[in-house]
């Protein structure tokens, strides 16, 4: 029997260990939003590493949104914004060549639930913002602006639902639907159908019609699928580039 062979073990860069250690403390709640971090010199002493390794680890933390500089040059703990997290996930979805069908199925599962909670929890000010969004879409002249307002409408509903887990779940999907909207609108001229659906959803929400608002959102998402299929694009291929 021959000797068993193993692959070489890759060593982890020191700066990554610095990043991982600080990230763990943030996620565990040992470091909280707004807490000041020690200086680079002090961190280097505590970790027993060079300042250059600490500096690089801090750079990664800043890129990830876990730390920021507000008080002079001192670093403090921060919480990454939903959009920053979603952008990272969206890139991963693109790299994995997620198809329109997969994104649509996820949207069909999430968006009606979001709308249900929005109907229960929305404020009068948020209703006014949704109304203004629809008015702006009615006057929008470009495809890009219509798609941006469509996504904004759904984002505002998510905020009104007041469920951060749902916001995080749907945000990367929302970002990737931009190229789908750009593919559908120029060919099918569906702007008015979108506006009509948004008005019906808003009317149900204003009337606190939870079942009706959820039902209308499901119809709206179904209509989106039909529009995509009518363009001749495959449901089982990755989305066109944004």
């Amino acid at each position: 029997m021959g000797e068993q062979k193993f692959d070489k073990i890759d060593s982890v860069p020191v700066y990554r260990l610095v990043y991982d250690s600080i990230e763990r403390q943030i996620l565990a709640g040992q470091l909280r939003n707004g807490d000041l971090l020690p200086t680079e010199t002090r961190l280097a002493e505590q970790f027993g590493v060079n300042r250059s390794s600490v500096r690089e680890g801090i750079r990664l933390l800043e890129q990830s949104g876990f730390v920021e500089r507000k008080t002079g040059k001192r670093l403090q703990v921060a919480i990454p914004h939903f959009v920053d997290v979603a952008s990272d996930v969206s890139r991963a979805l693109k790299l994995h060549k997620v198809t329109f069908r997969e994104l649509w199925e996820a949207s069909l599962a999430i968006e009606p639930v979001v709308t249900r909670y929005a109907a229960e929890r929305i404020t009068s000010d948020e209703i006014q913002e949704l109304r203004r969004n629809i008015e702006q879409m009615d006057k929008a002249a470009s495809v890009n602006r219509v798609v941006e307002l469509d996504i904004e409408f759904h984002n505002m509903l998510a905020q009104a639902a007041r469920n951060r887990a749902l916001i995080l779940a749907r945000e990367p999907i929302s970002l990737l639907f931009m190229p789908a909207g750009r593919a559908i609108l120029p060919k099918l001229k569906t702007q008015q159908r979108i506006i009509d659906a948004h008005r019906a959803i808003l009317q149900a929400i204003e009337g606190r019609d939870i079942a009706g608002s959820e039902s209308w959102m499901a119809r709206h998402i179904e209509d989106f699928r039909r529009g995509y299929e009518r363009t001749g694009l495959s449901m089982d291929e990755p989305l066109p580039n944004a």
Side-chain angles (χ1 to χ4, degrees):
M1 183 176 179
E3 180 184 8
Q4 179 66 45
K5 294 184 178 180
F6 297 93
D7 294 331
K8 291 182 178 179
I9 297 175
D10 294 329
S11 59
V12 179
V14 174
Y15 68 83
R16 184 71 202 194
L17 295 174
V18 172
Y19 172 93
D20 289 344
S21 178
I22 296 175
E23 181 197 40
R24 277 196 303 272
Q25 291 200 39
I26 293 172
L27 294 177
Q30 295 169 327
L31 286 172
R32 299 185 179 183
N33 187 31
D35 286 352
L36 291 176
L37 289 181
T39 64
E40 287 183 1
T41 301
R42 183 61 182 146
L43 284 171
E45 292 173 354
Q46 291 183 10
F47 285 119
V49 300
N50 295 328
R51 279 188 63 187
S52 59
S53 296
V54 169
R55 191 174 299 116
E56 186 64 17
I58 292 297
R59 185 183 67 81
L60 287 179
L61 287 164
E62 286 184 282
Q63 288 179 350
S64 301
F66 282 114
V67 299
E68 59 187 358
R69 298 180 189 273
K70 281 190 176 179
T71 309
K73 294 184 178 180
R74 288 294 300 277
L75 285 160
Q76 66 182 58
V77 175
I79 298 176
H81 192 273
F82 291 132
V83 173
D84 296 329
V85 176
S87 296
D88 290 339
V89 177
S90 292
R91 284 193 291 271
L93 292 177
K94 287 181 180 179
L95 288 172
H96 285 280
K97 300 187 183 302
V98 172
T99 66
F100 177 85
R101 186 184 301 279
E102 291 172 304
L103 289 171
W104 174 78
E105 287 175 352
S107 185
L108 184 61
I110 294 172
E111 294 295 319
V113 175
V114 165
T115 308
R116 164 180 283 274
Y117 290 128
E120 293 177 354
R121 301 165 182 171
I122 197 165
T123 66
S124 58
D125 286 344
E126 288 169 333
I127 288 174
Q128 291 302 319
E129 287 299 317
L130 287 169
R131 187 175 289 116
R132 275 193 286 270
N133 172 277
I134 294 172
E135 291 171 357
Q136 289 174 2
M137 185 182 287
D138 201 21
K139 299 174 183 176
S142 71
V143 168
N144 280 351
R145 183 58 180 154
V146 172
V147 176
E148 286 171 358
L149 288 166
D150 185 17
I151 291 173
E152 182 183 79
F153 179 88
H154 289 262
N155 287 345
M156 287 193 290
L157 285 179
Q159 292 294 331
R162 286 169 176 74
N163 184 306
R164 289 170 291 181
L166 283 173
I167 292 173
L168 283 168
R170 66 170 297 280
E171 191 70 27
I173 299 170
S174 174
L175 293 176
L176 283 183
F177 272 121
M178 175 70 81
R182 287 173 176 165
I184 295 171
L185 275 168
K187 292 184 179 181
L188 304 183
K189 312 299 183 185
T190 54
Q191 180 174 344
Q192 191 58 51
R193 287 183 67 86
I194 296 171
I195 293 170
D196 291 343
H198 285 191
R199 281 180 174 148
I201 291 166
L202 179 56
Q203 183 177 3
I205 288 174
E206 283 187 280
R208 303 295 174 175
D209 181 358
I210 295 171
S213 60
E214 188 175 17
S215 175
W216 258 109
M217 178 57 77
R219 291 169 63 181
H220 182 39
I221 301 301
E222 287 279 4
D223 199 44
F224 187 44
R225 174 189 60 79
R226 286 192 291 270
Y228 194 82
E229 289 180 319
R230 285 177 59 197
T231 64
L233 295 168
S234 171
M235 291 276 290
D236 297 308
E237 293 291 330
L239 285 172
N241 291 328

